Amino acid sequence: MTPPRYRHGALVVGIALLAATGTSAFGQMADDLWKTMMLKAASMQSSRDYAKAEQNFGLAMREAEHFGNEDTRVVTTLKAQGDLFMEETKFAEAEAAFRRALTIVENSSQEDSPDRAEANLKLARALIGLGHGSAAISLAAKAVSVYQSTYGGFDTRAATAHCALGDA
């Protein structure tokens, strides 16, 4: 059975699509194709058709990379792919996707940004899945610190990060 925290993948992808950057007229078709592939992938993931979900996320990644390797669509796609891999317990693949997303986010955000905290926490979860708890601790601790200072101690994001640290 799929763990409850991964069942909302389609919703998360849909929200992320709404938050993705706007495009010029020239890039509108590529952006539309990217959104279509992301929605198809999320639908396949919700249906537990993981092979098709992976295929559609791969197609979405190709479209996202047309906007540049540092584009928010690339980060959104990487996080969605990583979440899919976590659901499939493919922790090494999830680690690679989350690590690449974190690298991009680190280059484009402040150290105390919620985006960076989320990327740190996602990578920490993958590392825990791989049995690398000690490597995950510093990433999860960074996320806790940012979430607590940004949202307060009772925010669900801070609670999730505390769970990753084993504090809950």
Side-chain angles (χ1 to χ4, degrees), residues 39-156:
L39 289 172
K40 281 184 180 180
S43 176
M44 295 298 104
Q45 182 176 355
S46 292
S47 300
R48 293 191 173 93
D49 190 344
Y50 298 127
K52 286 185 182 174
E54 285 185 32
Q55 179 183 15
N56 281 287
F57 279 132
L59 293 169
M61 180 58 73
R62 282 197 305 206
E63 290 306 315
E65 288 173 337
H66 285 118
F67 295 94
N69 290 332
E70 302 271 320
D71 188 84
T72 58
R73 285 166 281 241
V74 173
V75 174
T76 299
T77 306
L78 287 166
K79 289 193 272 185
Q81 281 180 315
D83 288 338
L84 171 65
F85 292 138
M86 290 293 291
E87 191 171 321
E88 294 179 279
T89 65
K90 293 182 176 180
F91 300 120
E93 291 90 338
E95 177 194 9
F98 291 144
R99 194 171 292 282
R100 182 174 171 207
L102 177 59
T103 299
I104 295 168
V105 169
E106 285 176 338
N107 292 332
S108 63
S109 67
Q110 299 293 322
E111 190 169 337
D112 61 349
S113 79
D115 289 337
R116 190 181 284 199
E118 178 192 25
N120 279 322
L121 186 56
K122 285 181 177 288
L123 179 55
R125 287 185 11 248
L127 291 171
I128 289 168
L130 288 168
H132 303 302
S134 60
I137 289 173
S138 66
L139 294 168
K142 288 178 187 178
V144 167
S145 176
V146 171
Y147 286 148
Q148 285 182 330
S149 66
T150 303
Y151 303 112
F154 297 105
D155 183 74
T156 57

